[in-house]
């Protein structure tokens, strides 16, 4: 592997680390990046790479939110169950049901027919507009669900239904989750945290399916590509997650909506010329 190829892997890892947690579509960005910076490898391997690399970003979440995500704690040298955390994970399972069913049924079809620059661009623009509309609507409204632990099973399921939207490249898993949460009165901070919880089983599950289809057999170069890309995504994600949680304490998501619209227009213009 030459030095230029290593730089491409690092760049894609940076893109993943930034876009996984911001509501601007990590998969969409990586597919667009690959249109301009072609990563060496078979189409089958690149399909696996663009999913498995996201495990690096997930490890960053586990590192930063370990105490909040761990359902047990040690008190007076004894391990006890954190019932609130257990209940939260059960709500995550409920939220996973709609997206899991749809992904299992339609993932191959979507990968074959919708992973195009035009679809990605249109999804970026459409949901960018939706973000701006929702934030304008919510401007003077007080959220009915302010804290992560206040999310109900019903709210979790509705958010899970919105996650179905993310099967289309360019939509964004975090974006779909946030849109669903904001529409039903969940605060920005609470829905962002819920997004982190949801991402852990979703990405482990998707990565396992991709690896299962690929066969768990990699060349040395392919394995190095996966490990390097995941490591870069892990490091970048740590900084991006901290930035996002600080940013939404005082700001809304409209800036990401405008970014999506601008990028979508640029992509459409480029591929239509």
């Amino acid at each position: 592997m030459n030095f230029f190829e290593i730089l491409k892997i690092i760049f894609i890892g940076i893109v993943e680390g930034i876009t996984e947690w911001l509501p601007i579509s990590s998969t969409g960005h990586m597919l667009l990046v690959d249109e301009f910076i072609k990563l060496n490898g078979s189409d089958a391997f690149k399909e696996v790479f663009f999913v498995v690399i996201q495990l690096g970003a997930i490890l960053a979440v586990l590192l930063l939110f370990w105490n909040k995500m761990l359902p047990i704690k040690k008190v007076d040298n004894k391990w006890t169950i954190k019932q609130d955390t257990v209940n939260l994970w059960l709500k995550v399972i409920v939220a996973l049901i709609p997206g899991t069913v749809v992904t299992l049924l339609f993932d191959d079809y979507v990968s074959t027919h919708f992973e195009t620059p035009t679809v990605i661009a249109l999804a970026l623009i459409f949901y960018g507009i939706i973000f701006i509309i929702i934030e304008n609507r919510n401007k003077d409204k007080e959220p009915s669900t302010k804290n992560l632990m206040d999310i109900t099973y019903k709210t979790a399921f509705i958010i899970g239904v919105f996650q179905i939207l993310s099967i289309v490249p360019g939509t964004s898993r975090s974006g779909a989750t946030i849109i669903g949460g904001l529409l039903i009165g969940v605060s920005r901070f609470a829905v962002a945290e819920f997004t982190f919880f949801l991402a852990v089983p979703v990405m482990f599950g998707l990565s396992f399916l991709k690896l299962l289809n690929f066969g768990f057999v990699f060349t040395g170069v392919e394995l190095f590509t996966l490990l390097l890309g995941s490591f870069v995504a892990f490091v970048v994600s740590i900084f991006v997650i901290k930035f996002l949680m600080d940013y939404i304490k005082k700001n809304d998501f409209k800036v990401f909506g405008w970014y999506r619209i601008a990028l979508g227009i640029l992509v459409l213009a480029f591929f239509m010329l």
Side-chain angles (χ1 to χ4, degrees), residues 80-81 133:
T80 60
I81 295 176
I133 292 173

Side-chain angles (χ1 to χ4, degrees), residues 35-69:
E35 287 288 334
F36 301 98
I37 305 175
K38 291 291 184 181
L39 188 68
N40 287 341
S42 66
D43 290 340
F45 172 72
K46 285 194 286 188
E47 184 179 348
V48 172
F49 174 72
F50 287 141
V51 173
V52 174
I53 189 179
Q54 296 174 64
L55 287 179
I58 297 302
L59 292 177
V61 167
L62 292 176
L63 175 67
L64 294 174
F65 290 87
W66 179 254
N67 289 331
K68 183 170 282 190
M69 290 184 167

Side-chain angles (χ1 to χ4, degrees), residues 3-4 14 35 53 90 98 107 117 138 166 172 195 200 225 261:
F3 180 69
F4 185 64
I14 292 172
E35 287 288 334
I53 189 179
L90 291 175
D107 185 56
N138 289 354
S166 67
S172 166
T195 298
V200 174
T225 300
I261 293 169

Side-chain angles (χ1 to χ4, degrees), residues 47-227:
E47 184 179 348
V48 172
F49 174 72
F50 287 141
V51 173
V52 174
I53 189 179
Q54 296 174 64
L55 287 179
I58 297 302
L59 292 177
V61 167
L62 292 176
L63 175 67
L64 294 174
F65 290 87
W66 179 254
N67 289 331
K68 183 170 282 190
M69 290 184 167
L70 193 67
I72 56 175
K73 63 180 178 180
K74 199 170 187 178
V75 179
D76 297 329
N77 293 322
K78 292 183 180 180
W79 290 101
T80 60
I81 295 176
K82 295 156 58 178
Q83 194 58 49
D84 286 347
T85 305
V86 171
N87 288 336
L88 183 58
W89 278 114
L90 291 175
K91 294 168 188 175
V92 167
I93 292 173
V94 169
L96 289 173
I97 294 172
T100 300
V101 172
V102 172
T103 299
L104 290 174
L105 291 175
F106 300 107
D107 185 56
D108 289 340
Y109 180 85
V110 170
S111 297
T112 302
H113 296 87
F114 289 92
E115 288 186 353
T116 67
T118 300
V119 170
I120 293 170
L122 291 175
L124 285 168
I125 294 169
F126 177 76
Y127 289 107
I129 294 171
I130 295 298
F131 264 113
I132 294 169
I133 292 173
I134 291 173
E135 286 290 20
N136 285 336
R137 188 202 71 164
N138 289 354
K139 186 176 181 180
D140 298 317
K141 288 186 177 181
E142 191 72 16
S144 56
T145 303
K146 296 182 179 180
N147 301 310
L148 177 65
M149 294 301 178
D150 294 333
I151 291 175
T152 64
Y153 283 95
K154 179 181 177 181
T155 298
F157 183 77
I158 294 172
I159 290 174
V161 171
F162 274 90
Q163 269 226 320
I164 293 173
L165 299 172
S166 67
I167 193 171
V168 177
T171 300
S172 166
R173 271 183 299 277
S174 62
T177 304
I178 291 168
I179 285 173
L182 293 178
L183 277 173
I184 58 178
V186 183
S187 71
R188 297 184 191 97
F189 201 85
V191 76
E193 286 192 312
F194 194 65
T195 298
F196 298 146
F197 273 77
L198 269 176
V200 174
V202 167
M203 290 317 306
F204 274 112
L206 285 175
S207 296
F208 176 77
L209 288 176
K210 292 295 184 183
L211 290 170
L212 188 65
N213 289 334
F214 191 79
F216 291 93
V217 178
F218 300 98
T219 66
V221 171
E222 289 173 339
L223 186 59
F224 175 79
T225 300
L226 286 174
L227 292 176

